[in-house]
Amino acid sequence: MDLNGCHALVTGAGSGLGAATAMCFASAGAHVSVLDLSRSRAEEVAAACVGTAVVADVADGAAVAQAFAEAERNRGAPRVVVNCAGIAAAARIVGRGGALSLEVFERTLRVNLVGTYAVLGCAARAMMDLEPCGSSVERGVIINTASVAAEDGQLGQAAYAASKGAIASICLPAAREFAKFGIRVVTISPGLFQTPMMEELPASVASAIAESVPFPRRLGAPEEFARLARDIVGNPYLNGTNIRLDGAVRLPPK
């Protein structure tokens, strides 16, 4: 699918991987709906990529449906949707004093997993009514974001790993379900990337983390995630698979 002239919606697009994807897609000629929980960040990125800001909490299914309706009123149904919204709360399953981290677990699954599922469903429903692209039978592409933590979850990442593992697992059944409509579903599992969450760490810690990546020995650039998302859109035979983008890193236990 050609991004030029295409309507693409990116969640979590106010910063990090989502913002880089929005900018990359806009540079390829797409009109981007920049969806974020923060209105100010969404408007800032939308202004930079000449797109449209949309505000929603992806953990709220009704809000997601409303955001899609707003985006469709502005530019029609999106042909490309990229799920980047998420949180990375850390907590041991059993904390100090024997307290269980149920609240952290539920919140993380609510935002990461239920949010991805809600966006996936709204995106597919909107794409089903689109005409196929030109001579192709393709109607749309949905890209979800998991994590290498789905396979290499570290101590304290039980909630995060569970949410991302479920996102990776959704990919194939979703791709099979939507195949008859010409809608592809692909998942990217990024490794250690230079995102706002990483920037909160002390420089010495961030440097040590970067040194753990075999090659290239550095943190991933958000633009590299965006480039892969762009290539997925352009390659019609990529479907139903999970792609690790990680510099060959495998996370240690902690």
Side-chain angles (χ1 to χ4, degrees):
M1 184 178 295
D2 188 354
L3 276 168
N4 187 33
C6 179
H7 177 197
L9 184 148
V10 182
T11 75
S15 63
L17 303 180
T21 301
M23 297 299 295
C24 177
F25 283 12
S27 69
H31 179 89
V32 184
S33 290
V34 179
L35 190 153
D36 200 86
L37 179 62
S38 166
R39 180 175 296 278
S40 61
R41 290 202 302 263
E43 290 177 345
E44 181 180 352
V45 175
C49 70
V50 197
T52 304
V54 185
V55 180
D57 179 356
V58 296
D60 182 342
V64 171
Q66 185 175 347
F68 266 82
E70 180 181 344
E72 288 186 52
R73 284 195 297 271
N74 291 330
R75 301 293 299 189
R79 285 197 182 272
V80 176
V81 171
V82 184
N83 256 312
C84 290
I87 59 174
R92 292 173 183 258
I93 299 168
V94 181
R96 293 182 179 178
L100 302 182
S101 55
L102 281 175
E103 184 178 345
V104 172
F105 189 82
E106 290 174 350
R107 175 61 181 163
T108 303
L109 262 67
R110 187 76 202 169
V111 175
N112 293 356
L113 178 55
V114 177
T116 293
Y117 190 86
V119 172
L120 171 70
C122 285
R125 184 171 59 191
M127 292 172 184
M128 287 175 184
D129 294 329
L130 292 171
E131 290 297 319
C133 296
S135 59
S136 168
V137 295
E138 191 171 22
R139 286 187 170 86
V141 182
I142 303 167
I143 301 172
N144 294 327
T145 304
S147 167
V148 296
E151 298 177 354
D152 311 339
Q154 296 180 292
L155 188 152
Q157 284 189 324
Y160 183 70
S163 69
K164 294 301 186 175
I167 290 170
S169 294
I170 285 171
C171 184
L172 183 57
R176 287 171 165 170
E177 177 178 344
F178 303 137
K180 65 181 178 181
F181 300 103
I183 299 168
R184 293 187 285 122
V185 183
V186 177
T187 300
I188 301 175
S189 284
L192 304 171
F193 272 71
Q194 187 68 52
T195 63
M197 285 184 286
M198 191 66 71
E199 290 166 2
E200 294 174 1
L201 297 174
S204 59
V205 175
S207 177
I209 291 172
E211 282 292 312
S212 70
V213 182
F215 184 80
R217 190 152 296 193
R218 58 171 173 79
L219 298 175
E223 291 75 18
E224 290 169 317
F225 176 95
R227 190 185 311 166
L228 177 57
R230 181 195 64 197
D231 291 344
I232 289 169
V233 173
N235 190 330
Y237 210 62
L238 270 174
N239 193 18
T241 194
N242 176 40
I243 303 171
R244 285 184 67 126
L245 185 64
D246 60 13
V249 76
R250 295 299 181 268
L251 303 181
K254 61 181 179 179

